Amino acid sequence: MIDLDSGQQAARGWFESLRDRICAAFEAIERDVGSTAAFEYTPWARVDASGEEGGGGMRGVMKGRVFEKVGVNVSTVGGAFEGEFARTIHGAGDDPRFFATGISLVAHMANPHVPAVHMNTRFLVTTKRWFGGGADLNPPIPYAEDTADFHAAFKAACDDHAPVGDYPRFSQWAEDYFFIPHRQVARGVGGIFYDHLEAADDAFDPAFAFTRAVGEAFLAIYPQIVRRRLGLPFTEAEERQMLAWRGRYAEFNLVYDRGTLFGLKTGGNIDAILMSLPPRAVWE
C-alpha cells in the first residue's frame, strides 16, 4: 500500500464507487437480453523502479451478448518516473515523484449500431495537483440522435460547473485529441477531454466536483444509447464495417494514446493497459 492524503483518498474512493455503479449498469443491460454475463475482476500490484511497493489496481472485464468486450479498470499508483519520461509529465520535470489514481473504461459492442465508448477520469500529483479525463463516443455507424444526446449530457455537466467546466474548450480538445493523424480521420464523434485541471488548495473541491459530474453524465447517458440501439438488426457488411473501424481504433490507442504510454512507462499491468484493444478487428 502507499500512503494517501485526504484528497487522494477521496479521489480513489470516488473512482472505485463509480466503477461499481457502471459495472452494475452494464450487467443490467446484459440481463435485459437474457444474458448471465458478468464482470471478472483481477487485482494487480505494482513494484516501483526503486523496488518499493508502488500501488496497484483492479482490472474488470466482461464479455456478453451486448458488450462483446468491456473493460473497467481502476488503479492507484505512486513512485517516481524513470529517466526523461518525467519531463513529459506536468510538474515532474525537476522532481520525478508522482501519485495517480483513476478509472478507465472502454466498451466494444457486439452490434455495429451500438456505439463503442471510452471514458477516463484521473487525479495526478507531482509538484502539481490536477484532474483530467473525459469521454468520447465511437460509433461504427453514427446516429445524429446519439451524438447529440451524448454531447448534451456532457455540456450540461460542464455548464453546471462553470467556469471549471468549459464545454466549448473541452469539446474542441476532444476533437483535436481523438484524431488519427496518419489516417486523417476522427476516431469517433467526439465528446469532451480535459487535462491539468488545477486541484491544489482551494481549487481541489471545484475540480473534483466537476470530475464527479463527468462520471455521472457518462453513467446517465451511455446506457440509454445502448438500449436504444441494441435490438437493431445488422448485416454482414455492417459487421465488417465495424471490424474495419475497430482496426483504426486500435491504431490510435497503440500509437497516440497518452494513457497507454503512461501505463507502460510506469510499470502498470499490461493486460489492464491493453484492455482497450478490441476482441476482433480487420485491416483492409
Side-chain angles (χ1 to χ4, degrees), residues 173-187:
W173 203 338
E175 293 283 340
D176 295 339
Y177 180 73
F178 297 112
F179 186 80
I180 309 174
H182 65 271
R183 296 285 189 181
Q184 286 296 296
V185 296
R187 190 176 84 168

Side-chain angles (χ1 to χ4, degrees), residues 62-107:
M62 179 174 70
K63 298 179 180 179
R65 291 187 192 173
V66 179
F67 295 86
E68 185 171 355
K69 177 188 175 186
V70 54
V72 185
N73 298 335
V74 291
S75 62
T76 299
V77 298
F81 297 119
E82 291 189 85
E84 291 300 310
F85 183 65
R87 299 190 179 280
T88 70
I89 303 297
H90 185 53
D94 296 324
D95 183 344
R97 291 174 295 175
F98 78 95
F99 165 87
T101 185
I103 180 172
S104 181
L105 177 158
V106 175

Side-chain angles (χ1 to χ4, degrees), residues 11 14-15 121-123 129-133 157 161-165 170 194-215:
W14 162 253
F15 296 136
T121 52
R122 55 194 178 271
F123 176 50
R129 299 170 71 92
W130 78 95
F131 285 94
H161 292 269
V164 174
F170 294 167
Y194 63 101
D195 206 3
H196 304 157
L197 194 66
E198 179 64 33
D201 302 324
D202 292 343
F204 179 86
D205 286 345
F208 187 27
F210 171 66
T211 295
R212 296 197 305 272
V214 170

Side-chain angles (χ1 to χ4, degrees), residues 265-284:
K265 290 290 188 178
T266 56
N269 178 269
I270 296 300
D271 291 331
I273 296 166
L274 299 181
M275 167 272 296
S276 62
L277 296 181
R280 297 181 296 147
V282 298
W283 281 264
E284 297 176 331

